[in-house]
Amino acid sequence: MTTVATVSEGTDNPYALSHLDSLESEAVHIFREVAGEFERPVILFSGGKDSILMLHLALKAFAPAPVPFTLLHVDTGHNFPEVLEYRDRTVAEHGLRLHVASVQEYIDAGKLRERPDGTRNPLQTVPLTEAIQQHRFDAVFGGGRRDEEKARAKERVFSLRDEFSQWDPRRQRPELWQLYNGRHAAGEHVRVFPISNWTELDVWQYIEREGIELPQIYFAHEREVFNRSGMWLTAGDWGGPKEHETVETRQVRYRTVGDMSCTGAVDSDATTLDAVITEIAASRLTERGATRADDKMSEAAMEDRKREGYF
Amino acid sequence: MTTPTQLAEQLSTTTLLRFATAGSVDDGKSTLVGRLLHDSKSVLTDQLEAVEDASRKRGQEAPDLALLTDGLRAEREQGITIDVAYRYFATTRRRFILADTPGHVQYTRNMVTGASTAELAVVLVDARNGVVEQTRRHAAVAALLRVPHVVLAVNKMDLVEYAEPVFAAIAEEFTAYAASLGVPEITAIPISALAGDNVVEPSANMDWYGGPTVLEHLETVPVSHDLTACHARFPVQYVIRPQTAELPDYRGYAGQIAAGVFRVGEPVTVLPSGRTSTIAGIDLLGDSVDIAWAPQSVTLRLTDDIDVSRGDLIAPVNDSPAVTQDVEATVCHVADRPLAVGQRVLIKHTTRTVKAIVKDIPSRLTLDDLSQHPAPGQLVANEIGRVVVRTAEPLALDAYADSRRTGSFLLIDPADGTTLSAGMAGASFAAVPQTGTPVDDDAEWDF
């Protein structure tokens, strides 16, 4: 045991893993653990960068065999067309099976009501929960990261949910060593977050290192946007612009991609991954703080939605 | 403002340190963590604004850095921390994952949880109070969980006039105690989290202290030890068999190396069966390599087509663990329902889960003074004790002292899957404490 704490650890230690290698190894371990312990796992896949990263890690974890999971997308009906196109192309490319749960269908059937603000992200919970019940998924992979938001900082890698998909922070199991306990009663399921310990910068750096292709929406491009509550939103028939809002053409990129109604773009001229990473590293706003209206609702907004079954 | 040079450094490849904090609300732990995040420029504008907003609403004048880390409504309302929270920050030299654990007595299990994956633990004391019962408890948990590095942060030095003798006395007392429990490396640092002394920036008020600040120490402490000195261990997680036209015979054993180093050509034993073979190839997530080490996730291929499945352990032929059905261990009980003698449980060890029965609970340990209480009959939440467990099938178990990953296990309630206890096989502490009560003759303790 060394007691000298002044020697900086560089690459001179042949066994020192880089932070990206450590995170990758951990995520792969989690995917394989679920494959070994669960009957019907599913990966939530939207075509956004976190779910693209998740799929990439899953492909690596089981190569040269195919990924032993299906995919599920909860489609708000307000998704960016380029992201949906990417989603379908990726699914076809890897011969995967995709289930889609549609918020629009729920609204059309009168099972869900449109919110006055037009935001559909909170409406995803019911279709998600019902899809899990209907397909009897026992493990549901999400791309949630603990650095995203305060309530998520308390989330476990294996997060137990009851039959209503509810999250109870006091019922979560202590997560000891790398021993993930996924046992659950019939009807319950486990949400699994393999990239819990990654930060936004880690995700981008890894995407660059691995040469993972992303939808063009993540890079600077000209787009017709309007300003609402300080965010640049894409004009579209989902509910904008309203009378007092004016559309202008700006050069923007998206840091995070979700529902059109609550995902804002940032002014940017970063057209390459390298340029995007430099911008992010220099940015003084968190990913969600800059671009997600849905987390700003109240001090405990995410906590409340997680309790109801949201990710 | 970040300069291009700083950016380049920030984006360079660094290592990752996982560490845990222990201390109570009153010791200023949230303030220390907030200060680390704030002064290392890891708090972004919108997070800081949210904290400023929330502080104003509570009628506080200055932003309360503790609010950066107290995430749940119940915690903010009661001003406490109720669970382990994970924080992420980075400097140009290293990336950090912090398990922020509450320090109240009823939350021993949270500290055990945080310490279980930590390479380093920061134990906080209030300079005015010195080493108290709770400090000893935190030191004991760090020792029990075999956390390689312990930092004693003597906080609130501003309230004792930054006096060196106050710090020196506390550091000496703590170091003697922790060393007696076998903590291998202890670093004491005098700080004021509130004023910012020696957290990130060196203190102008304590020029008598010549050591590193908390952050400097975190940046430079070694994270990977000499793996060649460890027993190599590979728990099999999953068998990869594509059975495609191109790969009709591919059979790979996927898993994360739990300890040590594996090389192609090395003779290995598969436990518990005891069959032997040789490593034919190692696939490192798409690359074929000759050598791999902990904690890499790899796929091993063997020269012989022997029966290997999830739950088996692959180890070098001349260095494999004993296989046993009788487990003697120290456990921290983490569930609200008790663990009793005679109880039927599941034991999850590496990738193997088997039925087991609690044969005996020889003693319960009080962490405050390390006194033992023979034959408690049961353990309740947050208690630590010795257990003897008989398993239905053999386990390839190491002593926790030799290997944290292959010497640890969970006890699980078969009825609903609740995690009951966190177990560490073998002796409790690395060394013999000089304090505490005399040993009972029949105790399993190694002191």
Side-chain angles (χ1 to χ4, degrees):
Chain A
M1 222 28 246
T2 176
T3 52
V4 182
T6 49
V7 182
S8 177
E9 199 171 41
T11 46
D12 52 347
N13 180 337
Y15 300 117
L17 288 195
S18 74
H19 70 287
L20 290 180
D21 284 334
S22 303
L23 293 169
E24 176 187 63
S25 174
E26 176 183 69
V28 164
H29 175 251
I30 293 160
F31 275 113
R32 289 168 168 179
E33 210 45 26
V34 170
E37 298 238 313
F38 289 81
E39 299 288 319
R40 299 172 67 84
V42 68
I43 304 178
L44 285 178
F45 186 77
S46 64
K49 75 173 190 318
D50 289 340
S51 66
I52 291 167
L53 168 68
M54 294 269 292
L55 182 58
H56 179 86
L57 290 162
L59 288 162
K60 277 191 133 180
F62 301 101
V67 171
F69 314 125
T70 56
L71 307 181
L72 169 66
H73 182 211
V74 183
D75 184 348
T76 60
H78 290 162
N79 285 297
F80 294 92
E82 46 275 78
V83 175
L84 291 180
E85 185 268 331
Y86 181 101
R87 177 197 77 182
D88 295 337
R89 194 158 42 85
T90 307
V91 168
E93 191 182 323
H94 298 292
L96 295 156
R97 184 163 164 226
L98 174 75
H99 306 274
V100 178
S102 156
V103 171
Q104 189 64 53
E105 282 176 21
Y106 273 73
I107 292 172
D108 294 345
K111 290 199 258 178
L112 281 177
R113 295 244 315 267
E114 195 82 76
R115 294 162 49 104
D117 62 4
T119 296
R120 284 188 174 183
N121 261 24
L123 300 182
Q124 289 174 296
T125 304
V126 172
L128 171 66
T129 305
E130 293 195 354
I132 291 168
Q133 293 298 314
Q134 181 197 331
H135 295 286
R136 300 195 315 284
F137 295 130
D138 53 1
V140 181
F141 287 105
R145 307 191 318 264
R146 288 194 283 226
D147 82 320
E148 286 181 283
E149 198 277 337
K150 281 187 300 199
R152 286 207 165 143
K154 309 251 153 165
E155 184 57 281
R156 304 298 157 92
V157 175
F158 274 43
S159 174
L160 189 68
R161 304 298 174 104
D162 65 13
E163 69 260 53
F164 304 102
S165 284
Q166 294 179 114
W167 177 71
D168 178 354
R170 288 169 197 269
R171 243 195 94 205
Q172 297 305 309
R173 295 168 181 163
E175 218 148 64
L176 296 139
W177 298 287
Q178 288 79 17
L179 291 166
Y180 303 106
N181 173 6
R183 295 187 76 89
H184 55 280
E188 294 184 331
H189 71 279
V190 177
R191 300 269 172 99
V192 182
F193 302 103
I195 58 169
S196 283
N197 288 325
W198 299 49
T199 63
E200 183 186 16
L201 201 51
D202 297 330
V203 170
W204 284 101
Q205 281 187 276
Y206 184 79
I207 284 169
E208 184 186 41
R209 185 184 94 171
E210 301 284 300
I212 299 169
E213 185 211 345
L214 291 181
Q216 280 307 305
I217 191 168
Y218 284 106
F219 302 98
H221 56 288
E222 300 253 303
R223 180 175 283 268
E224 291 201 333
V225 290
F226 63 93
N227 195 306
R228 182 179 294 173
S229 325
M231 294 193 307
W232 294 112
L233 299 181
T234 292
D237 49 17
W238 58 265
K242 294 208 168 86
E243 277 172 30
H244 58 281
E245 294 164 332
T246 48
V247 172
E248 50 185 289
T249 303
R250 298 184 75 91
Q251 178 157 282
V252 296
R253 69 175 168 82
Y254 284 88
R255 280 175 77 173
T256 165
V257 168
D259 193 59
M260 274 189 184
S261 58
C262 68
T263 309
V266 293
D267 287 321
S268 167
D269 48 22
T271 53
T272 63
L273 267 177
D274 206 30
V276 167
I277 290 170
T278 305
E279 267 186 17
I280 289 168
S283 164
R284 305 307 300 152
L285 279 177
T286 57
E287 181 177 323
R288 285 180 167 266
T291 60
R292 291 296 272 262
D294 50 337
D295 295 346
K296 289 189 173 180
M297 293 177 195
S298 82
E299 232 185 299
M302 178 65 88
E303 183 182 345
D304 293 340
R305 279 160 52 202
K306 285 178 72 70
R307 284 172 183 277
E308 290 162 12
Y310 189 76
F311 268 85
Chain B
M1 200 54 221
T2 325
T3 65
T5 323
Q6 283 175 312
L7 263 181
E9 283 174 338
Q10 196 172 331
L11 295 173
S12 67
T13 298
T14 54
T15 48
L16 184 66
L17 177 75
R18 291 168 196 255
F19 74 107
T21 52
S24 75
V25 177
D26 312 331
D27 299 328
K29 184 168 62 72
S30 293
T31 311
L32 170 67
V33 174
R35 174 67 62 189
L36 269 177
L37 298 176
H38 180 269
D39 289 8
S40 67
K41 313 255 184 311
S42 303
V43 183
L44 301 173
T45 315
D46 55 311
Q47 289 173 310
L48 202 57
E49 278 171 4
V51 165
E52 284 164 356
D53 272 359
S55 304
R56 262 197 307 276
K57 280 180 194 157
R58 288 172 180 66
Q60 291 159 297
E61 281 177 23
D64 180 353
L65 292 179
L67 293 174
L68 280 172
T69 59
D70 293 347
L72 302 179
R73 183 187 287 120
E75 297 174 312
R76 285 195 303 274
E77 285 168 357
Q78 298 162 43
I80 55 158
T81 313
I82 59 168
D83 203 341
V84 183
Y86 293 88
R87 317 276 164 214
Y88 302 85
F89 65 101
T91 66
T92 54
R93 298 166 88 173
R94 194 169 265 176
R95 276 268 285 104
F96 300 96
I97 300 177
L98 158 61
D100 189 8
T101 66
H104 302 290
V105 59
Q106 66 269 40
Y107 293 117
T108 300
R109 62 182 171 198
N110 287 334
M111 186 181 167
V112 167
T113 302
S116 73
T117 52
E119 289 286 306
L120 178 146
V122 178
V123 175
L124 213 62
V125 302
D126 184 328
R128 296 168 304 173
N129 307 332
V131 175
V132 294
E133 240 175 43
Q134 184 171 255
T135 317
R136 280 191 283 273
R137 198 179 312 128
H138 293 155
V141 170
L144 197 61
L145 274 290
R146 312 271 170 169
V147 179
H149 309 274
V150 172
V151 173
L152 172 74
V154 181
N155 191 22
K156 307 193 184 182
M157 288 298 294
D158 52 320
L159 302 182
V160 294
E161 282 79 52
Y162 295 109
E164 180 178 15
V166 175
F167 166 74
I170 296 170
E172 191 179 351
E173 185 183 352
F174 181 87
T175 303
Y177 185 76
S180 77
L181 296 173
V183 172
E185 199 228 29
I186 302 145
T187 305
I189 306 175
I191 66 167
S192 166
L194 198 64
D197 297 275
N198 287 338
V199 178
V200 172
E201 301 296 330
S203 168
N205 299 306
M206 292 182 273
D207 49 15
W208 45 262
Y209 171 73
T213 66
V214 173
L215 188 65
E216 281 170 356
H217 182 66
L218 293 174
E219 284 179 320
T220 51
V221 77
V223 285
S224 50
H225 310 295
D226 181 13
L227 290 165
T228 46
C230 304
H231 309 284
R233 299 289 185 258
F234 184 80
V236 176
Q237 275 190 287
Y238 191 77
V239 182
I240 294 177
R241 295 186 63 199
Q243 294 175 299
T244 54
E246 305 85 63
L247 295 161
D249 302 321
Y250 183 98
R251 205 184 156 88
Y253 304 110
Q256 188 172 30
I257 299 175
V261 179
F262 284 90
R263 290 177 178 82
V264 172
E266 190 175 10
V268 291
T269 305
V270 180
L271 297 168
S273 73
R275 290 192 185 87
T276 58
S277 185
T278 303
I279 296 177
I282 303 175
D283 298 329
L284 176 64
L285 305 182
D287 295 321
S288 200
V289 293
D290 292 331
I291 176 171
W293 57 89
Q296 291 178 327
S297 282
V298 297
T299 305
L300 299 185
R301 287 174 285 113
L302 302 181
T303 49
D304 307 88
D305 204 0
I306 54 177
D307 179 25
V308 181
S309 56
R310 175 176 167 83
D312 289 350
L313 185 96
I314 296 176
V317 162
N318 54 10
D319 180 21
S320 61
V323 171
T324 181
Q325 287 181 255
D326 295 293
V327 179
E328 289 189 25
T330 306
V331 302
C332 172
H333 192 65
V334 298
D336 294 331
R337 67 194 75 157
L339 182 78
V341 175
Q343 195 167 330
R344 290 179 186 279
V345 294
L346 294 167
I347 186 167
K348 182 176 169 81
H349 168 251
T350 65
T351 54
R352 191 175 181 81
T353 304
V354 302
K355 288 180 180 167
I357 187 161
V358 180
K359 283 288 190 198
D360 190 17
I361 304 180
S363 59
R364 178 169 58 79
L365 174 75
T366 300
L367 281 181
D368 306 337
D369 59 358
L370 301 181
S371 60
Q372 302 164 61
H373 309 265
Q378 63 171 34
L379 295 173
V380 302
N382 296 300
E383 287 185 341
I384 289 172
R386 294 289 289 173
V387 298
V388 178
V389 175
R390 172 78 181 168
T391 64
E393 292 170 57
L395 296 180
L397 192 71
D398 283 295
Y400 184 74
D402 294 334
S403 168
R404 287 171 87 186
R405 264 188 105 145
T406 53
S408 55
F409 60 85
L410 304 179
L411 297 181
I412 295 170
D413 188 331
D416 63 0
T418 299
T419 299
L420 297 171
S421 312
M424 291 152 279
S428 301
F429 293 108
V432 181
Q434 304 305 306
T435 57
T437 42
V439 176
D440 290 2
D441 291 343
D442 62 341
E444 299 287 342
W445 300 96
D446 61 324
F447 54 78

